[in-house]
Amino acid sequence: MKVTVIGAGNMGAAFVKQLSRAGHQVSVTARNLAKAQALAQAHTGATAIAATDAAAQADVLILATAYADAVNALKGLGDLSGKVVIDISNPLTPDYMGLTLGHSTSAAEEIAKAIPGAQVVKAFNTLFAQVLADGADFGGGQTATVFVASDSERAKQTAKALAESMGFSTVDAGGLKNARYLEPLAGLNIYLGYGAGLGTSIAPTWIKRA
């Protein structure tokens, strides 16, 4: 796929690394274009592009920014009508130990309201950047899981295909409103990683009795 990553931070860098390895045509854009260019140069086949070119060239856009920056970042890309947008954000408090939204809405739903033409899908928000960068294989037959929630079947299948191309297991988590459950799950993961001292090489998964 032609994938544009929006953001050149830790998650953006991890996506560029893994998507490039998986054979996708990867572009990256960021508020700091020089940072995007440096990231692209570090990965064979990746290119840095201006925000104004990001949407037109992409089959799918991965929103790898903080939630507070998400809507403005997307609005800077121009017309997103019909575009699949993968939202990985979590509406975290400044200390990362709580959420600013919940119960009646979610970051993903608010983004979808603000960009009504886009097909928004929640995915990858329960993974630490280190897990994404190091890969899905945890050893011993364990594979990290990507939970996927969207009201668009096309967006959901696109996110699942991308995740699986990078080696991740996927779970269909229903409609976009179920981001209200996935974002607190990410909050628990963050607490376990930092608050409980388990580190960032952890990820939630779901098991099913055979």
Side-chain angles (χ1 to χ4, degrees):
M1 296 186 207
K2 295 179 180 178
V3 186
T4 294
V5 178
I6 306 161
N10 291 338
M11 284 297 286
F15 272 112
V16 172
K17 174 184 177 181
Q18 293 297 347
L19 290 167
S20 298
R21 285 185 173 183
H24 299 285
Q25 186 175 325
V26 182
S27 301
V28 57
T29 188
R31 188 164 42 194
N32 182 337
L33 189 56
K35 189 173 181 180
Q37 290 169 335
L39 174 56
Q41 289 170 2
H43 299 283
T44 302
T47 59
I49 57 173
T52 50
D53 299 323
Q57 298 184 20
D59 297 321
V60 56
L61 300 150
I62 297 179
L63 181 60
T65 70
Y67 170 61
D69 301 322
V71 171
N72 284 339
L74 288 173
K75 286 185 173 179
L77 306 182
D79 184 13
L80 295 179
S81 297
K83 292 291 184 179
V84 173
V85 175
I86 298 176
D87 166 39
I88 73 165
S89 70
N90 292 301
L92 298 170
T93 55
D95 65 359
Y96 299 103
M97 289 294 110
L99 300 177
T100 61
L101 293 173
H103 299 295
S104 60
T105 190
S106 62
E109 290 169 279
E110 294 303 306
I111 290 167
K113 288 178 191 174
I115 314 292
Q119 296 182 20
V120 177
V121 51
K122 192 78 184 187
F124 297 98
N125 71 300
T126 59
L127 299 181
F128 280 118
Q130 183 174 337
V131 169
L132 185 59
D134 291 346
D137 186 0
F138 272 55
Q142 300 179 101
T143 303
T145 298
V146 172
F147 299 92
V148 180
S150 180
D151 295 332
S152 162
E153 189 61 26
R154 172 174 166 249
K156 192 182 290 187
Q157 293 304 323
T158 299
K160 288 177 69 175
L162 275 183
E164 289 166 6
S165 76
M166 293 185 283
F168 291 93
S169 300
T170 59
V171 169
D172 186 329
L176 195 64
K177 71 177 183 180
N178 287 346
R180 300 174 195 180
Y181 306 133
L182 294 180
E183 290 166 11
L185 178 59
L188 175 61
N189 194 48
I190 290 166
Y191 168 75
L192 292 173
Y194 291 105
L198 297 185
T200 54
S201 290
I202 61 172
T205 190
W206 227 253
I207 59 175
K208 180 181 178 180
R209 195 177 301 278

